[in-house]
C-alpha cells in the first residue's frame, strides 16, 4: 500500500510496528500527511462525544416528584400588594418570561448543533476504522486521487484527496453500481478538502463499481454527468 494511505490507520493506532516505523519516517518529510493526520486525530479524539449517554434511572423521576410535593407544604401566603407594586411585579415577570423563552430557544438550538456535530464526528471515526481495518480491500480510484476501502461486510468509505470544491449550486454525489444493476445513491459530499472520508450509504457487493458525479445541490435520483472518478471492486 502507498504510505500516504496509512494516515487513517496511524490516527487510530492500527498499524503494526514496521508500518508505524515506515509511516513516521515518511511523516517527517510530508507536509500533506501531517495536515491530514492533524485533521483525523481531531475527528478520532471526538468519537467519545458521539456516543449517546445512558438514560437516567426511572426512579430519579419519582424522587424529584416527591421532593416537589414536599416543597409545596412549605409555601407561605404573601400579603396583598398595592396595585402599582403588582403592575411592576407583573412587568418584571413578563420580561423574565420573555428572557426564559429566548434562553430556551437558544439552548435547544445549541443542543441540536452539538448533537449534529457529535454525530458527524462519530461517523467520521467509524469511517476511519473501516479504512484502518486490515481485512478491508483497498481499491485505487480511477480519474481521482485516493482509494475506496470496503470491509468484509460490504461497508465502504471513499478516501478522496485534493478534490476541488463542487461549483456553486452543485455537489458531488457517490453511486454504487452493482453487477448488472442500476446506480444507487450513496451520499453527497462537497469536496474542497485536502483529504475527505466519505462513508457510503449503500453496501458495496463484490464486482460493483463505485463512482462520483457532479450533480445539483441536494443530489439526484440517477446520475446525469460523466463520473469524476470510479473504482472497480
Amino acid at each position: 500500500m502507498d504510505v500516504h494511505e496509512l494516515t487513517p490507520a496511524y490516527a487510530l493506532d492500527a498499524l503494526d510496528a514496521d508500518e508505524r516505523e515506515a509511516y513516521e519516517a515518511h511523516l517527517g518529510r510530508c507536509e500533506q500527511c501531517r495536515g491530514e493526520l492533524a485533521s483525523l486525530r481531531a475527528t478520532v479524539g471526538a468519537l467519545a462525544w458521539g456516543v449517546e449517554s445512558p438514560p437516567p434511572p426511572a426512579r430519579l423521576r419519582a424522587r424529584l416528584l416527591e421532593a416537589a410535593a414536599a416543597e409545596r407544604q412549605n409555601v407561605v401566603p404573601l400579603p396583598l400588594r398595592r396595585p402599582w407594586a403588582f403592575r411592576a411585579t407583573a412587568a418584571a415577570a413578563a420580561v423574565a418570561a420573555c428572557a426564559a423563552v429566548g434562553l430556551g430557544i437558544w439552548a435547544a438550538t445549541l443542543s441540536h448543533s452539538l448533537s449534529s456535530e457529535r454525530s458527524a464526528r462519530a461517523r467520521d471515526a467509524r469511517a476511519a476504522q473501516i479504512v484502518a481495518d486490515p481485512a478491508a480491500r483497498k481499491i485505487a480510484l480511477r480519474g481521482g486521487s485516493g482509494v475506496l476501502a470496503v470491509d468484509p461486510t460490504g461497508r465502504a468509505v471513499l478516501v478522496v484527496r485534493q478534490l476541488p470544491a463542487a461549483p456553486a449550486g452543485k455537489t458531488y454525489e457517490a453511486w454504487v453500481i452493482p453487477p448488472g444493476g442500476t446506480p444507487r445513491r450513496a451520499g453527497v459530499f462537497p469536496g474542497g478538502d485536502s483529504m475527505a472520508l466519505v462513508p457510503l450509504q449503500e453496501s458495496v457487493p463484490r464486482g460493483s463499481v463505485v463512482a462520483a458525479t457532479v450533480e445539483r445541490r441536494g443530489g439526484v435520483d440517477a446520475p446525469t454527468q460523466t463520473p469524476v472518478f470510479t473504482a472497480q471492486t
Side-chain angles (χ1 to χ4, degrees):
M1 180 188 293
D2 182 355
V3 68
H4 293 86
E5 310 298 342
L6 297 177
T7 302
Y10 185 82
L12 290 167
D13 196 24
L15 298 179
D16 61 32
D18 292 339
E19 289 174 329
R20 184 181 303 108
E21 183 178 355
Y23 181 81
E24 289 176 346
H26 166 78
L27 193 62
R29 304 187 300 270
C30 183
E31 183 177 352
Q32 176 182 327
C33 284
R34 289 197 296 271
E36 294 173 356
L37 180 61
S39 175
L40 283 175
R41 275 181 166 165
T43 295
V44 173
L47 177 59
W49 296 103
V51 179
E52 293 186 2
S53 301
R59 63 179 180 273
L60 178 59
R61 179 175 182 273
R63 290 171 57 189
L64 291 173
L65 291 176
E66 290 175 2
E71 287 296 326
R72 283 199 296 268
Q73 304 302 319
N74 298 325
V75 175
V76 178
L78 296 176
L80 293 176
R81 298 182 178 179
R82 296 176 181 176
W84 64 267
F86 177 80
R87 287 195 294 271
T89 302
V95 171
C98 290
V101 170
L103 287 173
I105 294 173
W106 174 81
T109 302
L110 178 61
S111 176
H112 177 74
S113 177
L114 289 174
S115 178
S116 298
E117 177 69 12
R118 289 170 181 170
S119 296
R121 293 291 189 180
R123 183 174 60 250
D124 287 348
R126 288 193 295 269
Q129 289 174 335
I130 294 174
V131 175
D133 185 350
R137 292 177 291 135
K138 312 296 192 306
I139 303 101
L141 302 181
R142 297 178 183 175
S145 176
V147 297
L148 170 70
V150 187
D151 76 5
T153 69
R155 295 185 306 166
V157 176
L158 284 167
V159 182
V160 185
R161 285 191 171 85
Q162 305 300 329
L163 184 67
K170 302 288 185 178
T171 188
Y172 292 102
E173 186 160 13
W175 306 92
V176 174
I177 310 171
T182 57
R184 301 174 181 172
R185 302 179 66 177
V188 297
F189 56 103
D193 296 321
S194 61
M195 184 181 75
L197 299 181
V198 183
L200 299 186
Q201 297 171 7
E202 282 283 340
S203 179
V204 179
R206 188 175 290 272
S208 299
V209 173
V210 172
T213 57
V214 177
E215 305 294 349
R216 69 170 181 265
R217 181 178 297 165
V220 294
D221 293 330
T224 65
Q225 305 296 321
T226 302
V228 176
F229 59 76
T230 62
Q232 175 72 58
T233 65

